[in-house]
């Protein structure tokens, strides 16, 4: 089976707490190949577009404020089973429920400020990768 791609974002709290290096280290230690990587500050409108599926949720406004509060680091990662394996590496959304040793258990401060995003399906991974990167930026 060909390797799978996922879209990760090192969120503004990750950047703010100087954890970019540590999280990328864990990603590489877990055998993901980085296909694309950049730093960007989302506008509020861009964060709303990215999280459009959550538009009706009560935390939508707070979440999009947070995601546009500072720079973030999106990345396209490749590995067999990348989507499920990345979500295992980062742990549950709520750090209180995340397994020991996961990124969120170790570093997240709340259910919102949870350090990393990981796509949850191949369709979303593709859509989210295209949100941040052109085909040309996916380095093989
Ligand atoms: P994920 O796939 O684990 O990132 O979780 P979801 O897709 O359910 O939620 C997207 C993001 O919204 C999460 O990563 C959090 O940053 C945020 N979020 C989720 N649930 C809550 C909540 O109950 N309150 C707030 N303030 N933010 C939340």
């Amino acid at each position: 089976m060909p390797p799978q791609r996922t879209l990760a974002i090192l969120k503004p709290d990750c950047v703010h707490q100087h954890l970019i290096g540590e999280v990328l280290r864990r990603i590489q230690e877990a055998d993901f190949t980085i296909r694309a990587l950049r730093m960007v500050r989302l506008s509020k409108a861009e964060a709303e577009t990215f999280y459009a599926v959550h538009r009706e949720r009560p935390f939508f406004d707070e979440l999009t404020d947070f995601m546009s509060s500072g720079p973030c680091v999106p990345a396209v990662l490749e590995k067999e089973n990348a989507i499920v394996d990345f979500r295992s590496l980062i742990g549950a959304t709520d750090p209180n429920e995340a397994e020991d040793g996961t990124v969120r258990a170790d570093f997240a401060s709340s259910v919102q400020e949870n350090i990393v995003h990981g796509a949850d399906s191949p369709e979303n991974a593709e859509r989210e990768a295209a949100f941040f990167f052109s085909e040309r930026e996916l380095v093989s």
Side-chain angles (χ1 to χ4, degrees):
M1 230 178 43
Q4 188 180 53
R5 285 178 177 174
T6 191
L7 186 282
I9 306 175
L10 281 52
K11 294 184 178 184
D13 56 333
C14 178
V15 177
H16 188 70
Q17 292 177 64
H18 300 181
L19 289 169
I20 297 174
E22 172 59 18
V23 174
L24 289 179
R25 189 191 67 72
R26 290 185 184 208
I27 287 170
Q28 294 195 293
E29 194 176 70
D31 283 336
F32 289 89
T33 302
I34 298 172
R35 289 292 176 214
L37 184 72
R38 72 191 297 199
M39 179 179 272
V40 61
R41 180 162 183 175
L42 296 177
S43 66
K44 172 84 169 167
E46 287 169 331
E48 287 171 352
T49 302
F50 184 82
Y51 276 117
V53 291
H54 292 314
R55 194 170 287 280
E56 303 306 325
R57 308 282 283 274
F59 56 83
F60 181 69
D61 192 48
E62 205 189 341
L63 172 63
T64 52
D65 274 349
F66 163 59
M67 289 300 292
S68 57
S69 67
C72 65
V73 177
V76 174
L77 308 176
E78 193 173 86
K79 182 183 187 295
E80 243 180 59
N81 246 333
I83 291 166
V84 166
D85 284 2
F86 188 69
R87 289 178 69 90
S88 301
L89 181 75
I90 67 180
T93 310
D94 183 343
N96 293 319
E97 290 166 15
E99 274 191 49
D100 286 354
T102 59
V103 172
R104 285 166 166 172
D106 287 347
F107 302 119
S109 49
S110 70
V111 66
Q112 176 173 281
E113 302 203 2
N114 60 3
I115 303 287
V116 264
H117 165 81
D120 64 2
S121 68
E123 297 72 30
N124 283 340
E126 198 170 317
R127 181 181 59 77
E128 293 173 9
F131 181 88
F132 287 107
F133 300 101
S134 67
E135 203 48 47
R136 200 179 162 273
E137 290 173 295
L138 301 176
V139 180
S140 58

